[in-house]
């Protein structure tokens, strides 16, 4: 059985026309180099996104449940 690898992704996103872009953080999940889930704008807090990744790594959920778990943290 292959282990799911989670990584933090970041990008800049402009939420309002007048404001400067904001750094947002997301989560990418891959199994054997194959992308199974990605969300780009999960949080504006890097610490929050890293905590969720830590929980996912510790609990090792089935790939079909990863999206549901992340949506619960939203």
């Amino acid at each position: 059985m292959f282990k799911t690898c989670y990584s933090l992704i970041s990008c800049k996103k402009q939420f309002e026309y007048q404001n400067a872009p904001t750094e947002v953080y997301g989560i990418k999940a891959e199994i054997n180099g194959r992308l199974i889930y990605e969300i780009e704008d999960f949080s504006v807090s890097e610490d929050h996104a890293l905590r969720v990744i830590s929980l996912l790594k510790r609990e090792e959920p089935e790939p079909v449940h990863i999206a549901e778990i992340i949506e619960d943290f939203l």
Side-chain angles (χ1 to χ4, degrees), residues 13-22:
K13 201 165 225 182
Q14 189 162 356
F15 294 104
E16 294 182 20
Y17 179 70
Q18 297 89 356
N19 294 347
T22 302

Side-chain angles (χ1 to χ4, degrees), residues 3-11 24-43 49-50 52-54 56-57 61 63 66-67 70:
K3 189 172 177 104
T4 305
C5 296
Y6 299 96
S7 56
L8 180 72
I9 56 175
S10 66
C11 63
V24 293
Y25 300 92
I27 299 171
K28 183 177 7 178
E30 297 177 313
I31 295 178
N32 200 28
R34 189 174 131 240
L35 181 66
I36 59 166
Y37 184 81
E38 181 175 12
I39 182 168
E40 290 183 354
D41 55 356
F42 173 73
S43 177
L50 288 172
V52 172
I53 288 173
S54 175
L56 289 166
K57 286 180 179 179
I66 292 171
I70 292 175

